[in-house]
Amino acid sequence: MPQRFLTSWRLPASCAALLLLGGAVGWLTGTVWPCVTVVALGETVVLLSLFRHKSGPMLQSSATPHPDHDRLMTRTRRIASRLRDLRSAAGTLPDAVVLLDHSHHVRWFNHAAEDLLGLKRPRDRGRVLADLMRNTDLSDWLAEGAREPLNDVTAPGHPNRHVTATLLPFGSRQRLLLARDTSHLTRLEQIRRDFVANVSHELRTPLTVIHGYLELLDPEDVPELAPVLDEMRAQSKRMGQIVEDLLTLSRLETQEHVADEQVQMAPLLASLRKEAEALSQGRHTISLDVATAHDLLGSPKDLHSAFSNLVSNAVRYTPTGGKIAIRWADTEDGARFSVHDSGFGIPAAHIARLTERFYRVSSSRSRDSGGTGLGLSIVKHVLNLHQARLVIESETGKGSVFACVFVSDRLLDSTRVHETAGLHG
Ligand code: ADP
């Protein structure tokens, strides 16, 4: 039907004429059919006229496009093109990107996700991500809710690569999995570790020789050099200690698990107290408070080294006359070893960085007291290997509390002697 006819006055006029004609023919001939046919035709035209009235702009647009329609089309095209750009940009990102719906079904992923996570297109679209990552570090992490980023794990699609994964919420309960290829950083970290371990190892022998000769020299033979000799001995001892601490750190860093041995706390605590007294030489009041009969499960040597570091710090950073308390007690869901001192304390700004290697609040105080700056780093690594954490509370001028908090999985009943094999199976 011509467009002009639909949009002009002729349409309603034609409707009326047809209705009249139908009625007249029916009345004149006395038959119903011409009347019905013409009325039906009339109604069709009326309906068309109504349709024209309701959707006028649409009908008009097919012949002479409406300006709104043009604008809408341009916008739609622009949005579609932006979406295409975004998608192709996300597609070429070096990091794996996976879009998940609210029930963790895979909706979309980029090329890096195929490479790093081993996803396949179109096979894996619509499948649950945890099922696709089965038997990898990522599957446990996803099953546990993936609340924290997962650092440096083997890429499921590439055994020689490492990834750091993060799960971000977006939209309405959707998730975005990002997995960054950290192989390069891991390699650099490995190079750094090897370098430090090799240098420390190489320094060990010459230092032992120097230290040995210094011990042989008797200050009484050369009294004028006595202070120099003392200083040389102290410094060579310190260097030896730094080398030993660096080697301990290298070992702890490369270690993934600790031995599951029973660590008997009663004798360990008694020996820590003796060490504190020996170091303090009567300058402090030292107490031991044992409130639980629990033992620990782990490496006796490493735990002794960590606890002993905390005790020695408390003695070294507490002025004469101060108090030091060693405590071992149950908590709601585990147990806590803590060392309390009434020493110098630590300004709040430094607390978060204390476990970094060679980080010191006061370098001169640390050196004067024979510190290497590596003690708390060692403590942190030992605790990580035991799934424990270090909690530090301190107030300048009042003192500090260094606490090692263990989860109940690491506790053993000290009244029973445990078989070490299979304790954690
Ligand atoms: P260091 O060998 O220097 O003691 P650590 O790693 O053991 O190295 O400790 C790092 C720094 O933390 C120390 O240099 C010191 O400034 C601070 N620190 C550690 N323990 C205490 C404490 N009990 N009281 C005050 N400061 C402390």
Side-chain angles (χ1 to χ4, degrees), residues 1-8 52 55-64:
M1 192 160 301
Q3 186 66 34
R4 229 174 320 132
F5 175 75
L6 283 174
T7 55
S8 74
R52 177 195 68 86
S55 53
M58 289 292 267
L59 284 173
Q60 281 173 18
S61 69
S62 63
T64 44

Side-chain angles (χ1 to χ4, degrees), residues 224-254:
E224 66 279 12
L225 288 181
V228 178
L229 263 182
D230 283 347
E231 183 60 18
M232 283 168 80
R233 276 181 189 164
Q235 292 301 337
S236 87
K237 202 172 154 207
R238 217 180 124 237
M239 273 169 79
Q241 192 55 54
I242 292 174
V243 167
E244 289 310 316
D245 281 358
L246 281 173
L247 285 170
T248 305
L249 263 178
S250 298
R251 175 179 62 78
L252 292 169
E253 275 180 337
T254 45

